[in-house]
Amino acid sequence: MIEQRFSTEAITQAKAVSSQTAADDRILVQGITIDGPTSLDLDDAIWCEETDTGATLQVHISDVSDRIPQNTPLDYSAIATTQTRYHKQGNSPMLPRILSEATLSLQEGQPRATLTFELELANDGSVSNCKIFESCLSSAKRFAYAEADYAIASPKLRWHNTLKLCQQWAAKLNQQRMATGAIGASAFGKNIYINEEGKLSTNPNAKYHSHRIIEEFMIAANTAAAQWLADRDQPALYRNHTAKAIAPGQDEMLQALLVLGSATAIRRRLQGWMNRAEYGPALIGHFA
């Protein structure tokens, strides 16, 4: 693994930022995190509550911009790096670990500045409204995927009802996506799983029910946020993933993948059908 190198100025700024106290003028929200057992950079949390008309889903994202102003060494460093890169063993973080794995990580019981995406869900899992607001989260519980799955299967445990509710609404969100012909976050036979990007996944966590919860909630939040920005004509970069002209319709694509049964055959078929994902200022869509 190649460790990301940061400038002296960026390291100095990171140390200064790490000593700052959390903002106290934000809306307080509830949430839990579910990640891999060794994950330290916990950057998203979830919460779900039933309503008279369906449910309210909240996805909380660590609000890095609260601590890192524009045009500063850390800002320039993040722009140059673009993302945290995950390897089979460890990662190369976009920001110094003192921030990504501590001050900005949504650690259990620690107040953190977050950006909340609140989705109003109808009983069928369709999104009827989306709100986006600045918030403050003290994560109520840090789950690993296996631990969350155990709680889902154990009615006597404290967090069973919360996680079971999340699982039920994740299933409804999945049904909504499948009805549109989406192929991402779907299983095609034993040990064949296509992630939300439309690629065969080698993620060992994909087998967990709780991983599917996080995946569905993040897809829903990303989709709603993209539509929210487009509806308001706000400047943004959208990640669009389109199918090639030779690709069949979505229903035909799903049926073809179901009968292939081979990871190699599925990978080749997907490569023949899908264009490379691209970023652009117009919302086109994400086929997977």
Side-chain angles (χ1 to χ4, degrees), residues 109-169:
Q110 299 298 315
R112 297 287 188 259
T114 46
L115 192 64
T116 292
F117 300 80
E118 183 176 277
L119 311 185
E120 296 297 330
L121 304 180
N123 279 316
D124 63 354
S126 60
V127 178
S128 59
N129 190 36
C130 172
K131 297 179 182 178
I132 304 175
F133 56 89
E134 294 180 341
S135 54
C136 180
L137 168 74
S138 290
S139 174
K141 178 67 176 176
R142 188 261 197 258
F143 281 100
Y145 291 114
E147 182 184 11
D149 267 30
Y150 182 74
I152 290 172
S154 306
K156 294 183 178 180
L157 293 185
R158 175 189 172 189
W159 289 100
H160 170 78
N161 290 339
T162 297
L163 290 167
K164 194 68 178 178
L165 182 66
C166 289
Q167 184 186 35
Q168 291 168 354
W169 283 97

Side-chain angles (χ1 to χ4, degrees), residues 117 130 132 224-240 280-284:
F117 300 80
C130 172
I132 304 175
Q227 193 62 56
W228 187 95
L229 290 165
D231 289 344
R232 290 159 178 77
D233 199 25
Q234 293 294 312
L237 278 178
Y238 299 97
R239 181 179 174 87
N240 295 301
L283 177 57
I284 298 173

Side-chain angles (χ1 to χ4, degrees), residues 5-188:
R5 295 182 180 274
F6 298 96
S7 67
T8 301
E9 293 80 6
I11 293 295
T12 299
Q13 184 187 356
K15 291 179 178 178
V17 167
S18 68
S19 64
Q20 296 174 3
T21 57
D24 58 3
D25 58 347
R26 290 171 168 247
I27 299 173
L28 297 178
V29 291
Q30 300 183 81
I32 58 174
T33 63
I34 309 176
D35 290 272
T38 61
S39 296
L40 296 175
D41 53 339
L42 313 179
D43 56 6
D44 55 66
I46 61 169
W47 194 251
C48 187
E49 293 182 354
E50 286 191 305
T51 65
D52 292 337
T53 57
T56 298
L57 165 63
Q58 290 185 335
V59 173
H60 314 294
I61 307 297
S62 177
D63 189 355
V64 177
S65 64
D66 180 64
R67 298 294 187 94
I68 302 176
Q70 286 185 306
N71 303 320
T72 60
L74 281 174
D75 184 41
Y76 292 138
S77 177
I79 290 173
T81 308
T82 70
Q83 63 182 324
T84 294
R85 289 173 170 80
Y86 294 92
H87 315 288
K88 290 184 177 180
Q89 297 294 328
N91 62 26
S92 298
M94 183 176 69
L95 296 168
R97 296 187 189 278
I98 193 175
L99 298 181
S100 63
E101 298 179 357
T103 305
L104 299 178
S105 182
L106 305 182
Q107 297 174 341
E108 183 176 329
Q110 299 298 315
R112 297 287 188 259
T114 46
L115 192 64
T116 292
F117 300 80
E118 183 176 277
L119 311 185
E120 296 297 330
L121 304 180
N123 279 316
D124 63 354
S126 60
V127 178
S128 59
N129 190 36
C130 172
K131 297 179 182 178
I132 304 175
F133 56 89
E134 294 180 341
S135 54
C136 180
L137 168 74
S138 290
S139 174
K141 178 67 176 176
R142 188 261 197 258
F143 281 100
Y145 291 114
E147 182 184 11
D149 267 30
Y150 182 74
I152 290 172
S154 306
K156 294 183 178 180
L157 293 185
R158 175 189 172 189
W159 289 100
H160 170 78
N161 290 339
T162 297
L163 290 167
K164 194 68 178 178
L165 182 66
C166 289
Q167 184 186 35
Q168 291 168 354
W169 283 97
K172 292 186 178 185
L173 289 169
N174 179 266
Q175 290 171 1
Q176 279 287 325
R177 289 196 308 104
M178 293 300 102
T180 68
I183 64 171
S186 302
F188 294 89

